[in-house]
Amino acid sequence: MDSTRAVGSNRRVYKIHGKIFMIVTDAADGAMVTIKVDPIRAEILRQQYVEISSGHGMNRRHWISITASDAISREVFENEVRESYRLVRAKLPTAERTSDGRRKRSLSGKQLQAVARMLASGLPGVDHGRPFVEKLDVYKVGGKVFMIVTDDPNELIITVRAEPEQRGNLFERFASVTAGRYLDKDRWISVGAGKGITQTVVSDVVKASYRLVLDTVPRRERPAGITDV
């Protein structure tokens, strides 16, 4: 854990491996602490204490700010700080290892795309083609897009669908995961080669995208054999 305070600032920022889990703001009328929290827990705490509000300067759904007060016991405060630390730590990338204990290597752009293509092609009911432009290899299930592979030597990426929570997690963990290039940026992500992008990560995002899109396909039009995907 480390903490920093900019010169002249009244805020001290606490981090674990570069990720913020607590901000302490000094003020004339007392200190305010901003920490990460589960959204449901945040709503409960805001209803219980007037001293607890949505996170100042942070994502207001996932962070809360606690103003110093006798109404907030030390036990409550310490529990919430520990939980914030745990939540942030849980999202840090872990070293993926092979069965013999060796660390898995990050994929190159070409390897990433090859893994994605091989996996997607083996999923039930998948077909692919180039309906938009020649450089975009589009993979569909039930006639709906779930992955796009960009055939451009200067942009070796895949673009897949992702849920909001998964998007946020991936954005925090990997610098090479960005908002989707071609489709709704709130629902799609683009994944390029980078630190921590392993075969497991690629497999997870492709399968998750397939399942999300498959859920929008009418049951009578879904392919057989999808129970293990």
Side-chain angles (χ1 to χ4, degrees):
M1 182 184 75
D2 61 89
S3 65
T4 57
R5 184 199 295 269
V7 176
S9 172
N10 66 338
R11 299 168 75 236
R12 179 171 290 278
V13 178
Y14 292 79
K15 301 179 180 180
I16 174 174
H17 296 295
K19 299 293 185 182
I20 297 172
F21 74 91
M22 181 172 69
I23 301 171
V24 179
T25 305
D26 297 322
D29 56 350
M32 180 177 68
V33 177
T34 300
I35 53 177
K36 194 161 190 177
V37 67
D38 175 84
I40 296 176
R41 175 68 175 162
E43 184 62 29
I44 293 172
L45 289 169
R46 284 194 293 266
Q47 291 179 12
Q48 286 182 328
Y49 303 99
V50 296
E51 297 84 2
I52 297 180
S53 59
S54 298
H56 290 241
M58 305 293 282
N59 182 307
R60 300 175 75 83
R61 183 168 180 265
H62 292 275
W63 292 76
I64 56 173
S65 290
I66 305 175
T67 302
S69 167
D70 291 339
I72 307 294
S73 69
R74 179 169 181 167
E75 181 181 7
V76 169
F77 174 75
E78 290 181 348
N79 284 342
E80 298 310 319
V81 171
R82 282 195 293 268
E83 180 64 8
S84 177
Y85 180 91
R86 187 194 68 77
L87 286 171
V88 174
R89 188 170 183 229
K91 290 191 174 184
L92 294 172
T94 56
E96 294 187 65
R97 298 186 180 276
T98 59
S99 58
D100 61 2
R102 292 180 299 174
R103 188 185 181 95
K104 291 183 179 180
R105 293 182 179 178
S106 299
L107 302 176
S108 68
K110 289 184 178 179
Q111 290 172 331
L112 181 158
Q113 290 186 329
V115 168
R117 279 188 164 109
M118 180 176 66
L119 177 63
S121 297
L123 294 172
V126 170
D127 60 82
H128 69 104
R130 301 176 187 271
F132 305 135
V133 294
E134 185 59 28
K135 76 172 185 177
L136 300 182
D137 190 10
V138 179
Y139 287 72
K140 298 181 180 181
V141 59
K144 297 189 176 185
V145 178
F146 74 92
M147 184 177 77
I148 299 174
V149 180
T150 303
D151 286 326
D152 182 339
N154 297 315
E155 193 178 37
L156 297 174
I157 61 171
I158 63 170
T159 298
V160 292
R161 182 124 179 222
E163 291 181 327
E165 185 175 353
Q166 182 192 24
R167 280 166 46 85
N169 188 7
L170 291 167
F171 288 160
E172 287 187 19
R173 292 177 61 194
F174 307 111
S176 60
V177 177
T178 60
R181 291 286 202 279
Y182 321 107
L183 300 164
D184 185 337
K185 293 184 180 297
D186 292 331
R187 297 184 179 183
W188 294 77
I189 57 172
S190 290
V191 182
K195 184 177 180 181
I197 302 297
T198 64
Q199 182 170 336
T200 301
V201 172
V202 175
S203 175
D204 287 346
V205 298
V206 172
K207 286 183 177 180
S209 180
Y210 176 87
R211 288 192 295 266
L212 282 171
V213 173
L214 189 64
D215 284 343
T216 69
V217 177
R219 289 190 175 276
R220 64 180 179 277
E221 298 177 18
R222 295 182 188 180
I226 62 172
T227 54
D228 296 330
V229 176

